[in-house]
Amino acid sequence: MQTNRVGFLLLLFLATALMPAACTLRSNTFVIALGDNIRTIDPIGSPSVDAASERVRTLMFNSLVRKNEKFDYVGELASNITRSDDGLAYTFTLRDGVKFHDGRLLTSADAKYTLDTVFSSNFAKSASFYEGSGANKKSYIKTVEATDDKTVVVTLIKPWVGLLSNLVPVAIIRKDSYASQKDHPLGTGPFKFVHYDSSQQVLDLEAFSDYWE
């Protein structure tokens, strides 16, 4: 891990040295220019998905699942993922000690709330969890259950290999917080929200000292 961090810092140094027009380092502040406008800071409910907004999301939020360097789908906020023999139930065990930016600990109630919100809405990120369209539109998801404080079970209507890959862009948010997330994002990621000026396209973030990783 230490080697990876040193390599990352070296990469940042080189990027700063080679691209002064795009990146600058002032005191303890790193400034970087994205290649496109940030269309939304809403972590789950955007009407469309764009690269700049998703890049910002990954700084402030974590998902249950991530793709590793080998392109395998592994746990991010989930320390363990198991699938039932019939392929219908996925059990996610949450990591210990994960905190939201307000200091509250992550529980399965937050994950269930997030998934229920996404699965029952018409967000851009919700469409992947359905097959068909119009009158023939059907959800792949049967139920989401929080069986204890650290365990979430997603049960499918039929076996579906797309569940893990489609959970990667779904940011886990605090229970009952979606209404405020659109203007003041609050996640478990390495950086916490400070201020966003949409007209100037300037987003201020601050390192989260209690980040779980």
Side-chain angles (χ1 to χ4, degrees), residues 3-212:
T3 301
N4 289 341
R5 288 178 179 174
V6 171
F8 178 66
L9 289 173
L10 178 59
L11 181 60
L12 285 182
F13 173 79
L14 291 174
T16 305
L18 296 175
M19 297 188 295
C23 310
T24 57
L25 190 62
R26 299 198 308 265
S27 181
N28 61 346
T29 302
F30 184 74
V31 182
I32 186 168
L34 298 177
D36 198 359
N37 286 345
I38 301 169
R39 298 181 185 178
T40 181
I41 57 172
D42 185 336
I44 62 173
S46 55
S48 62
V49 178
D50 64 279
S53 299
E54 284 299 284
R55 178 70 182 109
V56 165
R57 174 190 63 79
T58 61
L59 296 175
M60 296 185 286
F61 292 89
N62 299 119
S63 303
L64 286 177
V65 183
R66 66 179 177 88
K67 186 186 288 187
N68 67 12
E69 63 277 2
K70 296 180 180 179
F71 300 99
D72 295 323
Y73 294 104
V74 297
E76 185 171 47
L77 289 178
S79 61
N80 188 54
I81 303 171
T82 59
R83 186 179 67 175
S84 62
D85 291 339
D86 61 7
L88 292 178
Y90 285 75
T91 300
F92 301 86
T93 304
L94 300 181
R95 296 184 184 278
D96 293 326
V98 177
K99 292 182 179 181
F100 286 99
H101 296 154
D102 62 356
R104 211 198 78 173
L105 287 171
L106 169 74
T107 72
S108 60
D110 303 304
K112 173 177 165 56
Y113 167 78
T114 303
L115 298 183
D116 283 341
T117 301
V118 171
F119 295 159
S120 63
S121 303
N122 60 353
F123 304 151
K125 294 180 181 180
S126 304
S128 300
F129 298 95
Y130 290 83
E131 63 175 339
S133 59
N136 296 320
K137 182 179 179 181
K138 297 179 180 179
S139 176
Y140 287 110
I141 309 301
K142 183 178 181 181
T143 59
V144 179
E145 300 173 281
T147 57
D148 60 44
D149 282 349
K150 292 292 181 183
T151 309
V152 179
V153 180
V154 177
T155 303
L156 306 175
I157 292 174
K158 64 179 183 180
W160 177 45
V161 297
L163 178 65
L164 296 185
S165 61
N166 285 295
L167 284 176
V168 171
V170 177
I172 299 301
I173 64 175
R174 273 191 50 175
K175 183 181 178 182
D176 300 326
S177 72
Y178 177 62
S180 61
Q181 292 283 355
K182 293 177 283 186
D183 300 310
H184 194 101
L186 188 150
T188 59
F191 294 89
K192 57 184 179 180
F193 176 82
V194 176
H195 180 260
Y196 175 51
D197 185 334
S198 59
S199 62
Q200 297 297 317
Q201 282 289 295
V202 175
L203 175 67
D204 293 327
L205 303 176
E206 179 181 312
F208 181 41
S209 59
D210 283 337
Y211 182 50
W212 60 272

